[in-house]
Amino acid sequence: MTAVIDRAAGASAQSPASGLVCRNCGATYPLGAQHACFECFGPLEVGYDPQRLAAVTRAQIEAGPYSLWRYAGLLPAGHDPATRVDSGTGMTPLIRADRLADRLGFTAPVWVKDDSANPTHSFKDRVVSVAITAARELGFTRIACASTGNLANSVAAHAARIGMESIVFIPSDLESAKVTQTAVYAGTLVAVEGSYDDVNRLCSELSETDEFESTAFVNVNVRPYYAEGSKTLGFEVAEQLGWRLPEQIVAPMASGSLLTKVHKAFKELITTGLVDPADYRVYGAQSAGCSPIATAFAAGSDTVIPVKPTGIAKSLNIGNPADGPYALDAVRSTGGAMAHVDDDEIRDGIQLLAETCGVFAETAGGVTTAVLKKLAESGQLDTSRETVIYNTGDGLKTLDAVSGRVGPTAVIPPTLKGMRGAGLL
Ligand SMILES: *Cc1c(COP(=O)(O)O)cnc(C)c1O
Ligand SMILES: [Zn+2]
């Protein structure tokens, strides 16, 4: 591309990344800020030198920092600790959810990987940690994104931490908590009158302009690096289970990237010998208001037909999901399934997770919990197999989803009589 960004990220001696590979036609390119194949316009992903990956040991990882950077040997950026943007992201709790398991009739353990514990309270801190580190290694001076909300929070926060300029684009109808949680970090925040897909298209156009030559759009021109950050959701679960894979996972889907990268992480753990080979099934969750991937799954189709998103699960509202076909492939090739749930089921899902696990999820976590329930009830997900569900965001980000449904058990005067009157004594 341009002079400012001709230094390849992760090209240092220790980096396992070997280049960018087209997921469609297999063409290869040198590492750098490129996201689409010049041959077929297919999406690019980071390819690795298998020998360098295989050299990574459990002991090395365990001796690393208590953050996602313990997996630097399996990532395309941050090999030199001095270049890492480390906000303490990762190593979030893996909670054994026995009461949820009982409620849903599981005979095998159910676990909740609770990514609301990340610094800006969503899983997006993982992808941003890797993307902003790569952007800095590549010589970019400004960081940007198109966001459904959580990415905006995370990009603005990480930029503030390292003193990098940021410009964040969101649809103008986002939840107010997510707008405030982005604006408070004092970068540039642009609310666009349109859907996420409109915002994303605008960002693609901007990334081609001279004025944005030194700007890394985390989910456009440095997307191959960004996407690799999601692998750490797979690595951590395996390590937290004592270096083995779970039998089933349920993940929410927006673009479908997270789900495909957890699958990629599990495959890498097997090929590098970090875990023993094991069969696992990948399940995908969407909302009824935006279910282009789950709808293609149900139709037995490989073609993801774009939709105009509606509904309360705004963080998942990507109507034209870039990784849809790859998510379908991950789910089909492992024998999993997909489902979608409506807004009331999402609210029920948020409450079910809260009541049984003490975890308050945002709407995306409600989608995942409700899909777990739906797939278990329909028999598509096996309740005798160990299952991990991913909660990707914090309930405080989407309070309105349940604030009308829950409240004080009683309002009383400050007396024993008041307690008696309310039937609580
Ligand atoms: C972005 C996001 C996801 C998944 O996004 P993908 O585009 O599928 O990787 C899941 N949950 C939450 C809360 C998100 O913000
Ligand atoms: Zn190609």
Side-chain angles (χ1 to χ4, degrees), residues 112 114 116 346 349-351 353-354 358-367 369 390-399 401-402:
V112 179
D114 186 14
S116 68
I346 295 168
I350 292 173
Q351 289 182 262
L353 191 67
V359 170
F360 183 23
E362 74 146 88
T363 46
V367 169
T369 308
Y390 286 98
N391 174 40
T392 47
D394 192 315
L396 295 176
K397 287 172 178 269
T398 60
L399 272 182
V402 289

Side-chain angles (χ1 to χ4, degrees), residues 10-30:
S12 62
Q14 315 95 302
S15 171
S18 55
L20 299 175
V21 184
C22 176
R23 293 165 88 180
N24 192 34
C25 76
T28 57
Y29 298 90

Side-chain angles (χ1 to χ4, degrees), residues 122-124 150 252-258 315-316 318 362 364 392-393:
S122 86
F123 113 91
K124 287 297 195 301
N150 287 319
M253 299 183 293
S255 70
S257 177
L258 179 164
S315 58
L316 303 181
I318 297 185
E362 74 146 88
T392 47

